[in-house]
Amino acid sequence: MALRNHSTVTEFILMGLSDDPHIEYLLFVFFLVIYLLTLMGNLMLLVVIRADSHLHTPMYFFLSNLSFLDLCFSSVTVPKLLEDLLSEKKTISVEGCLAQVFFVFITAGTEAFLLSMMAYDRYAAICHPLLYAQMMSNQLCVRLVLVSWGLAGLNSVVIVLLTVNLDFCEDQIIHHYICELPSLFPLSCSDISINTDILICIIILHGFGTSLPIFFSYARIISTILTISSTTGRSKAFNTCSSHLIAVILFFGSGLVRYLMPTSGSALDLFFSLQYSVFIPMVNPLIYSLKNKEVKAAVKRTLEKYL
């Protein structure tokens, strides 16, 4: 890679979450359980949505893609975290670090697009129920998902290019458990002012570009729900949207705070990173299944069918 010609550093040292071996063993068990729950929860949703014909709708098509993304997202960061918790020397190659940056951005970026589409899907279903089939055709849903992957991939390539030509001369200690650009940029002995400005612009455009449609969709949804005379109808509509709104707030809140706030090297940086990259992929299946009667009924039908 071009980076090797400019840099004397061939690997980075990750400080991780703790330097106490006893605490690291406890953390290993804790995050291993989280990772297994993430795999089981998201795989369960994928299987149930695939197996149950009642869930072959645009809403659950997007939800199955979200589950697949969460499987990929957690697998980018958690296995390396688990490995480092049992290792004395927590190192990652420069190439491995850049690969982790790329895959974190492409999975997180695609998830942001997907959450935006899910909000539009709820807007179409609640505000225009008679036109829903036309507004959310199968072809449109597939195209939206493909465009999401394409735009997030392009975005990720640009972000990695910000790092490839930087020089890393002496300092190779990353005060984090994964490679994140806010923690990586300060290690460079190059001028990073332009790189930082470009990164902030990309995050703002991507973050607010995907969150604004969510805001406007839910503004119209809430306005429509308030006009429903039936208390039962209002309650059903709110329950349908509340799961998605919780997932949106958790994901966008922690992600934007982590990348737009200055890196302090404190435990707060680790908390926000853990929230969007470790905990949210585990929580999403719980949010969408525990609060969704259709999913719970589909799980029951699937278990009865196969067991």
Side-chain angles (χ1 to χ4, degrees):
M1 289 182 69
L3 189 144
R4 282 184 176 271
N5 298 330
H6 294 282
S7 176
T8 58
V9 173
T10 58
E11 64 180 15
F12 295 109
I13 299 172
L14 296 166
M15 292 300 291
L17 300 176
S18 174
D19 55 3
D20 186 328
H22 300 292
I23 295 177
E24 284 186 323
Y25 291 138
L26 293 175
L27 289 174
F28 174 82
V29 174
F30 177 66
F31 285 109
L32 178 61
V33 170
I34 286 178
Y35 187 53
L36 292 175
L37 289 175
T38 302
L39 294 179
M40 288 188 294
N42 286 291
L43 283 172
M44 180 205 72
L45 272 182
L46 281 171
V47 170
V48 168
I49 292 171
R50 176 76 176 176
D52 197 297
S53 59
H54 296 84
L55 301 185
H56 292 175
T57 63
M59 174 183 174
Y60 294 105
F61 171 75
F62 289 132
L63 183 55
S64 64
N65 278 275
L66 181 67
S67 293
F68 174 73
L69 270 171
D70 283 335
L71 282 172
C72 297
F73 196 8
S74 61
S75 296
V76 172
T77 57
V78 181
K80 178 59 179 170
L81 170 61
L82 292 173
E83 177 192 342
D84 287 343
L85 286 171
L86 295 181
S87 304
E88 290 185 11
K89 190 178 181 183
K90 303 172 177 61
T91 59
I92 184 169
S93 67
V94 173
E95 292 83 0
C97 192
L98 292 180
Q100 195 173 61
V101 169
F102 175 82
F103 286 112
V104 164
F105 269 98
I106 193 172
T107 50
T110 307
E111 184 157 335
F113 278 117
L114 200 59
L115 290 172
S116 186
M117 292 170 198
M118 292 172 75
Y120 177 75
D121 173 76
R122 291 301 82 209
Y123 157 75
I126 293 172
C127 300
H128 302 284
L130 299 179
L131 299 174
Y132 178 69
Q134 295 177 345
M135 294 175 67
M136 300 302 297
S137 64
N138 291 335
Q139 294 85 352
L140 176 63
C141 293
V142 172
R143 287 172 188 165
L144 287 173
V145 171
L146 292 177
V147 168
S148 299
W149 277 100
L151 290 176
L154 180 62
N155 195 28
S156 304
V157 169
V158 173
I159 285 171
V160 169
L161 289 177
L162 294 177
T163 315
V164 166
N165 291 318
L166 291 179
D167 294 325
F168 296 94
C169 304
E170 296 179 3
D171 192 1
Q172 60 182 131
I173 298 176
I174 300 177
H175 295 277
H176 213 287
Y177 68 95
I178 57 172
C179 288
E180 282 186 335
L181 291 191
S183 299
L184 197 58
F185 278 169
L187 304 184
S188 175
C189 49
S190 305
D191 181 10
I192 62 167
S193 56
I194 296 177
N195 304 65
T196 304
D197 291 341
I198 294 174
L199 176 63
I200 291 174
C201 288
I202 290 174
I203 296 299
I204 290 175
L205 286 174
H206 190 86
F208 287 97
T210 50
S211 59
L212 283 178
I214 296 173
F215 173 79
F216 287 118
S217 294
Y218 274 98
R220 293 292 303 276
I221 287 170
I222 292 170
S223 176
T224 302
I225 289 175
L226 293 177
T227 62
I228 300 175
S229 57
S230 167
T231 305
T232 306
R234 282 200 302 270
S235 176
K236 184 178 180 181
F238 272 121
N239 285 335
T240 302
C241 299
S242 60
S243 301
H244 181 251
L245 204 52
I246 292 170
V248 165
I249 292 170
L250 289 174
F251 181 78
F252 279 92
S254 56
L256 289 176
V257 168
R258 176 67 185 106
Y259 280 89
L260 294 181
M261 294 292 287
T263 299
S264 61
S266 66
L268 204 58
D269 291 342
L270 296 175
F271 171 77
F272 286 120
S273 296
L274 286 169
Q275 181 171 314
Y276 83 82
S277 66
V278 177
F279 294 118
I280 289 177
M282 177 193 70
V283 169
N284 274 344
L286 298 175
I287 291 174
Y288 285 104
S289 58
L290 293 178
K291 291 179 65 63
N292 192 311
K293 293 181 180 179
E294 289 182 339
V295 172
K296 287 191 284 187
V299 170
K300 184 178 179 182
R301 286 193 296 268
T302 303
L303 290 175
E304 289 174 349
K305 179 180 178 180
Y306 291 103
L307 298 181

